[in-house]
Amino acid sequence: MKFKIFLTVLLASALGAAASAKTITLLNVSYDPTRELYVDFNAAFAKYWKAKTGDDVTVKQSHAGSGAQARAINDGLQADVATLALAADVDALYNVGKLVPQDWQKRLPNNSAPYTSTIVFLVRKGNPKGIKDWDDIVKPGVTIVTPNPKTSGGARWNYLAAWGYALKKYGSEDKAKEFVGKLFKNVPVLDSGARGSTTTFVQREIGDVALSWENEAFLVLKEYGADKFEVVVPSLSILAEPTVTVVDKFVKKKGTEAVAKAYLDYLYSDEGQEIAARNFYRPRNETVAAKYVKVFPKLTLLTIDADFGGWTKAQKTHFTDGGVFDQIYLK
Amino acid sequence: MAGPATSLAAKPARSGAGTPRVIRNPLWVRVVFMTLALGFLACFLVLPLAAVFAEALRKGIGAYFHSFADPDVHSAIRLTLLTAAIAVPANLVFGVAAAWCIAKYDFRGKSLLVTLIDLPFAVSPVISGLIYMLIFGLQGWLGPYLGAGDHPWFGEWFNQQDIKIVFAVPGIVLATIFVTFPFVARELIPLMQTQGNDEEYAALTLGATGWQTFWRVTVPNIKWGLFYGVILCNARAMGEFGAVSVVSGKIRGETTTMPLHIEILYNENNSVAAFAVASLLALLALVTLVLKSFIEWRHAQSRPAV
């Protein structure tokens, strides 16, 4: 039996290797809601790279909850680039697998976050529960859909936005903890990723409000029609910075370092920023941002570095085993 | 619903006129049970199956076939077929060997082997996937020696070989073999046990070699059970989700099998395509059922002749 498995493995890897040897293939391991963004961006990049170097480049995509994807890369999913939902998940690539250098975040502009987003509320048409701000969603009888902060990046932004709001409004950590505790009492189901959560809210029709990436909420309006859902912008939210990096260890092995780097640089180009904005991610480039200023509502945004002391600290306080989230949720 | 139920129920009553009155159930009991069983089947099996096809055809037959034009769907179908094409023969050989050992010989640890064969039935598919992750993952036992590993002694050499197990086709095949492990063996063991060794002994006494005995005596005897096991094994191999999901890495067009691709399409708000692929899998299941009934029928027919 063992020998047979071995043969099978050999055969299958030979097949696998033969199939992927012709053009340059990159693997972009990303988080859940970026599927549509990277379908557009990959096509644009392939065109750009062909014009620049004459090489064909195919970018394969893999999507799941951000934390789960970081775990998969550490387990050996050979990503050339990781475009995850937050810095802490990319940190894990250094902490666990030593796949990227410790200072990965300094290698690209804007904290290695080429586009940003924020957290908004997605409600059903007519806003039947009258949800305007964070206080309205923790009321008894309101059901909230959000993914699991342990596996999903978006969920961690959701959590921190709520925490930041409560801390500002009620003034103490204890009050914030109580507030977020009440919020998670209203959550009937924790999906593992943002897209699963959206499906739960939109297709399975569970919940009064979904805490959602802004880009995901706009996408729902676009896909399902503004006659079925509404976006509610709370008084305060968080500047969500999805971060990107080349996975050094794998690109060195595959010899794709240059293409992978160019791929990420292209995210910062005018074209890349345009594509991000068209897919409802807030662009960093000011010219492009000015063009799309009407799309993105203005609101007060907390930042992870100024208000939470950076991702390393936030991750440790709130989301590690036995952290604040566990204390709240397991209670 | 009441019409056919009643007529079906009435039949045994007429033909069973010889059975004593006390053990015959009154008509209404039979009708109630029949309606319950059929109603249950309709609600939980036929309706969802119909819903899959209805959803797949919601935007018309054109959109349905258009779903299959996507190269990622092709790749998913190819990968599913490849996986089954490796897993089924592997388990066929293993199943015959294991059933042979168990049915024809007595040895120490036999019951342990029987229990082990059943293990994949008892273990959740997620765990089946995770064990391969633990072994072949980069942070696992063997992972550091493989693919991207950088083990101080072997790392360099293995690095150049580019052996990928998890997040690649071999991992998917391994996980599938694991979960479909028992099907053939489970089907053959009782069959071979009832048949005993007599015919083989007879062949051997008449001068047949072991190999001849196997092909001319054993195989014809277990033929239908073997087909049956292979078909069930194949159905499971193509439909497996949980174990494969863990080791797949979900690289579109590369490591997504049909069941995984269905989930991806569904999550991308592309329900027509999702259900179109699902309908293909469902069709496969129906073909399996038809084949299975056919084999049962043939088996029943061939019995008296043997």
Side-chain angles (χ1 to χ4, degrees), chain B residues 272-291:
Chain B
V272 169
F275 284 100
V277 181
S279 72
L280 195 62
L281 262 186
L283 273 180
L284 202 84
L286 292 179
V287 170
T288 308
L289 279 182
V290 171
L291 273 177

Side-chain angles (χ1 to χ4, degrees), chain B residues 54-270:
Chain B
E55 185 66 30
L57 293 166
R58 189 166 52 108
K59 288 186 184 156
I61 197 95
Y64 179 83
F65 283 109
H66 184 71
S67 313
F68 293 106
D70 180 359
D72 287 348
V73 172
H74 291 178
S75 138
I77 296 173
R78 259 202 317 273
L79 180 58
T80 304
L81 294 178
L82 173 73
T83 307
I86 300 173
V88 174
N91 280 336
L92 172 74
V93 175
F94 163 77
V96 173
W100 180 280
C101 288
I102 287 163
K104 311 275 178 184
Y105 303 109
D106 267 319
F107 54 90
R108 204 188 278 264
K110 184 165 148 177
S111 56
L112 183 72
L113 182 60
V114 177
T115 316
L116 277 180
I117 289 173
D118 277 344
L119 189 72
F121 275 161
V123 170
S124 158
V126 176
I127 298 169
S128 317
L130 283 176
I131 51 177
Y132 286 105
M133 200 57 87
L134 280 179
I135 298 172
F136 296 112
L138 199 50
Q139 316 298 323
W141 291 356
L142 297 180
Y145 304 95
L146 299 166
D150 50 2
H151 188 271
W153 305 336
F154 306 110
E156 200 50 41
W157 185 80
F158 277 108
N159 233 324
Q160 285 151 12
Q161 311 309 308
D162 193 27
I163 301 170
K164 283 193 219 164
I165 308 275
V166 286
F167 306 120
V169 178
I172 293 172
V173 172
L174 283 178
T176 308
I177 288 180
F178 185 89
V179 290
T180 56
F181 207 54
F183 283 92
V184 176
R186 264 287 131 208
E187 212 47 61
L188 290 184
I189 292 167
L191 187 67
M192 288 170 105
Q193 271 172 338
T194 12
Q195 283 172 351
N197 294 342
D198 299 351
E199 289 183 32
E200 275 88 359
Y201 285 149
L204 288 171
T205 0
L206 291 173
T209 63
W211 200 237
Q212 281 172 323
T213 313
F214 176 73
W215 281 110
R216 303 220 180 138
V217 178
T218 313
V219 171
N221 275 343
I222 60 169
K223 187 167 59 180
W224 296 114
L226 198 63
F227 279 154
Y228 191 81
V230 163
I231 279 177
L232 288 183
C233 181
N234 184 53
R236 180 66 191 269
M238 292 190 171
E240 177 54 26
F241 179 86
V244 170
S245 162
V246 176
V247 294
S248 141
K250 302 188 182 87
I251 308 169
R252 299 188 55 152
E254 199 173 308
T255 63
T256 54
T257 58
M258 279 163 79
L260 296 183
H261 204 69
I262 291 169
E263 195 208 19
I264 288 180
L265 290 168
Y266 181 73
N267 277 341
E268 280 170 7
N269 303 322
N270 197 348

Side-chain angles (χ1 to χ4, degrees), chain A residues 4-5 8-9 15 27 35 60-62 72 74-78 96-97 195 199 203 223-224 249-250 253, chain B residues 86 90 133 137-139 147-148 150 159 162 165 167 173-174 249-254 266-269:
Chain A
K4 208 162 56 221
I5 292 182
T8 314
V9 166
L15 285 173
L27 173 60
R35 299 159 195 251
K60 302 253 178 194
Q61 294 172 246
S62 165
N74 275 328
D75 277 337
L77 179 56
Q78 299 190 8
V96 180
R195 188 50 66 86
T199 312
Q203 299 199 346
E223 292 277 332
Y224 289 90
K249 184 159 178 179
F250 297 142
K253 179 177 159 253
Chain B
I86 300 173
M133 200 57 87
L138 199 50
Q139 316 298 323
D150 50 2
N159 233 324
D162 193 27
I165 308 275
F167 306 120
V173 172
L174 283 178
K250 302 188 182 87
I251 308 169
R252 299 188 55 152
E254 199 173 308
Y266 181 73
N267 277 341
E268 280 170 7
N269 303 322

